[in-house]
């Protein structure tokens, strides 16, 4: 295998690193049983060109000579593989958020090629869409979704400053929870669930009282005290922020159940979550299904609408109704480092509305039915698409040529010229392309075009007729 690297300049001076592979297997190395029609495995590793570290979650595409596309995602060690690849000239494309886009021809012989060493050049992300920290807010609490839900008006939110000032004098966490009625009245249920850092730790008194009181001396009492819960054992010092939800309001999915739906819920966050420590690297862990009958898991991934690159740490807004004509339940989850998201333990057959967001960018909502086989791809318009416009003329007469077929080599973009010989190719991702003009009775012409994000490039084709032709329209 020969690997040659060339540096090209894109629109606006952006540097694009391209790797060109030519994989040749000599006849002497060909296995005796191999033939030109047999498929081989194409495998390799994607690494950072500067550090040599493997790149997980890169999208690798292989386009065969007929235009069919196969796609895979690199593993944690950066490895990828395609099985049963037919010999011929293919196009290898590799994309990962934060790196230059790679697109290169890949010639496959009759024998399996050696492993490919694909190196991506880091690229600054001009959009800075992943806002892990908000000025003045604890980064861990930001990542919990506390401030996102507060901005959307889901419930009553008691920020760290308020909690720190008002928990003075309390020893047990349970006593402090029951005192929240003065700021956020609790529901009419006798008991209300309390969660701490996404974990159910017990129940506190409802009915807008700090604790149930009975003046009936004949009230039945249990022979022994109820078993202690974490809520009764933890100190008030352990809490750093609180969310209070009334019945019928939006509730985060991790705390949503039949009881919280009817009675509301108190969600507390520990003082560790509210500490203003250095911003940690964002790690999103997908939920795990409990496997209960009648419940299913809905999952998929979020990608850039233009480049099809998967987006890590994207928000997925989920809304669904639990019963006919009931108010919808809404929650937000996030994608992991590979752009995947997962919603666990949804009632089977539920109509679910999904919409993805990445930084300031919002995607269109999708309605799906939650089934065990549901796999929903969501897109967000992060990258600004590029476009190519141009005109095709007869090289002899200089007149415009009508009905010329314009195609992008190894990509599914095509157009045709009008009466004025003009054409337009819209919605192209940034990258290097070869544009082909085909017209019956004329020589085919190909031009190379480099597109930056949002670029608008104009090209001109002047086709040479096969023989003497002054025609202004292509033949069949």
């Amino acid at each position: 295998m020969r690997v040659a690297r060339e540096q090209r300049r894109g629109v606006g001076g952006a540097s694009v690193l391209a790797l060109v592979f030519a994989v040749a297997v000599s006849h002497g190395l060909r296995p005796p049983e191999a033939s030109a029609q047999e498929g081989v495995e194409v495998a390799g590793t994607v690494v950072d060109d500067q550090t040599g570290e493997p790149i997980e979650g890169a999208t690798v595409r292989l386009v065969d000579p007929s235009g069919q596309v196969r796609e895979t995602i690199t593993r944690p060690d950066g490895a990828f593989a395609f099985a049963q690849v037919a010999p011929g000239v293919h196009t290898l494309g590799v994309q990962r958020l934060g790196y230059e886009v790679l697109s290169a021809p890949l010639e496959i012989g009759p024998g399996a090629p050696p492993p490919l060493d694909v190196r991506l050049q880091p690229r600054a992300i001009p959009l800075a869409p992943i806002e892990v920290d908000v000025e003045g807010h604890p980064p861990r609490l930001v990542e919990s979704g506390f401030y996102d839900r507060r901005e959307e008006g889901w419930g009553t939110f008691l920020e760290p400053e308020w909690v720190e000032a008002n928990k003075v004098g309390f020893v047990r966490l349970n006593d402090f929870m029951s005192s929240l009625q003065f700021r956020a009245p609790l529901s009419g249920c006798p008991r209300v669930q309390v969660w701490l850092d996404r974990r159910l730790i017990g129940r506190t008194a409802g009915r807008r009282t700090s604790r149930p009181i009975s003046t009936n001396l004949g009230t039945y009492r249990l022979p022994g005290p109820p078993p202690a819960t974490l809520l009764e054992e933890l100190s008030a010092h352990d809490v750093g922020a609180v969310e209070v939800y009334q019945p019928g309001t939006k509730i985060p999915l991790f705390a949503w159940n039949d009881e919280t739906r009817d009675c509301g819920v108190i969600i507390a966050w520990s003082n560790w979550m509210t500490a203003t420590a250095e911003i940690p690297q964002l790690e999103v862990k997908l939920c795990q299904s409990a496997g209960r009958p009648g419940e299913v898991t809905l999952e998929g991934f979020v990608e850039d609408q233009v480049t099809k690159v998967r987006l890590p740490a994207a928000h997925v807004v989920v809304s669904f109704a639990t019963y006919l004509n009931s108010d919808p339940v809404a929650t937000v989850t996030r994608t992991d480092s590979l752009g995947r998201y997962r919603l666990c333990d949804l009632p089977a057959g539920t109509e679910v509305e999904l919409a993805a967001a990445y930084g300031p960018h919002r995607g269109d909502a999708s309605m799906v039915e939650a089934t065990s086989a549901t796999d929903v791809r969501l897109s967000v318009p992060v990258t600004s698409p590029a476009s190519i416009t141009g005109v095709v003329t007869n090289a002899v007469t200089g007149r415009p040529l009508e009905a010329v077929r314009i195609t992008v080599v190894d990509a599914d973009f095509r157009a045709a010229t009008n009466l004025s010989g003009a054409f337009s190719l819209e919605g192209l991702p940034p990258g290097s392309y070869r544009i082909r003009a085909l017209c019956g009775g004329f020589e085919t012409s190909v031009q190379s075009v480099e597109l930056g994000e949002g670029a608008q490039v104009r090209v001109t084709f002047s086709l040479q007729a096969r023989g003497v032709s002054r025609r202004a329209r292509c033949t069949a």
Side-chain angles (χ1 to χ4, degrees), residues 405-409 411 413-415 425 434-438:
R405 288 176 293 160
I406 307 297
T407 61
V408 178
V409 179
F413 291 92
R414 61 199 69 227
L425 296 166
R434 288 186 297 155
I435 312 302
R436 177 184 293 145
L438 303 98

Side-chain angles (χ1 to χ4, degrees), residues 98-410:
Y99 291 89
E100 298 285 2
V101 176
L102 181 146
S103 180
L106 180 63
E107 184 178 353
I108 304 298
L116 303 178
D117 180 22
V118 182
R119 295 180 172 270
L120 298 186
Q121 184 71 21
R123 173 177 65 89
I125 305 173
L127 297 172
I130 306 177
E131 298 177 0
V132 178
D133 187 28
V134 177
E135 185 176 359
H137 293 165
R140 298 187 188 97
L141 194 59
V142 171
E143 284 309 307
S144 74
F146 180 93
Y147 294 100
D148 289 338
R149 293 187 288 272
R150 187 195 67 174
E151 291 177 4
E152 295 178 10
W154 283 32
T156 301
F157 292 80
L158 309 179
E159 297 190 61
E161 295 79 8
W162 187 93
V163 172
E164 190 64 29
N166 286 272
K167 68 183 181 182
V168 176
F170 290 94
V171 177
R172 295 192 312 165
L173 180 58
N174 189 29
D175 293 333
F176 178 61
M177 289 292 102
S178 61
S179 74
L180 295 177
Q181 60 183 310
F182 298 109
R183 177 68 184 269
L186 304 179
S187 73
C189 293
R191 310 292 287 175
V192 176
Q193 287 187 10
V194 178
W195 292 64
L196 178 67
D197 292 352
R198 297 177 180 267
R199 179 183 178 186
L200 178 62
I201 61 171
R203 291 169 175 79
T204 191
R207 297 193 183 281
R208 295 183 174 88
T209 60
S210 59
R211 54 177 53 85
I213 299 174
S214 174
T215 57
N216 183 355
L217 298 179
T219 299
Y220 173 76
R221 297 180 181 276
L222 292 173
T229 64
L230 278 176
L231 179 60
E232 297 169 310
E233 296 175 354
L234 291 175
S235 165
H237 174 72
D238 293 318
V239 68
V242 180
E243 306 173 38
V244 181
Y245 294 92
Q246 300 296 330
T249 62
K250 296 179 180 179
I251 296 175
L253 189 61
F254 67 83
W256 184 89
N257 53 55
D258 290 342
E259 185 178 347
T260 58
R261 181 198 64 209
D262 295 336
C263 297
V265 64
I266 298 175
I267 298 175
W269 300 99
S270 66
N271 53 12
W272 178 85
M273 291 288 291
T274 60
T276 55
E278 183 179 352
I279 299 174
Q281 184 178 359
L282 181 63
E283 294 184 3
V284 177
K285 293 184 178 180
L286 302 182
C287 65
Q288 299 297 322
S289 174
R292 292 187 288 265
E295 296 180 340
V296 297
T297 297
L298 188 152
E299 55 187 333
F301 58 86
V302 178
E303 65 182 11
D304 179 13
Q305 185 173 304
V306 175
T307 65
K308 307 305 179 185
V309 171
R310 297 188 181 185
L311 302 175
H315 288 85
V316 178
V317 182
V318 187
S319 179
F320 61 94
T322 54
Y323 300 103
L324 187 63
N325 299 323
S326 65
D327 293 331
V329 175
T331 188
V332 177
T333 187
R334 302 191 81 167
T335 58
D336 65 7
S337 62
L338 300 182
R340 299 173 303 186
Y341 67 89
R342 183 179 299 145
L343 303 167
C344 298
D345 307 324
L346 294 172
T350 302
E351 289 290 325
V352 182
E353 182 181 85
L354 301 170
Y358 193 67
H361 308 280
R362 300 291 184 270
D364 294 333
S366 299
M367 290 295 298
V368 299
E369 181 180 348
T371 67
S372 58
T374 304
D375 189 353
V376 185
R377 176 183 298 193
L378 303 175
S379 63
V380 182
V382 176
T383 303
S384 299
S387 63
I388 299 173
T389 59
V391 66
V392 184
T393 61
N394 184 323
V396 175
T397 65
R399 291 186 172 185
L401 272 171
E402 181 188 0
V404 180
R405 288 176 293 160
I406 307 297
T407 61
V408 178
V409 179
D410 297 327

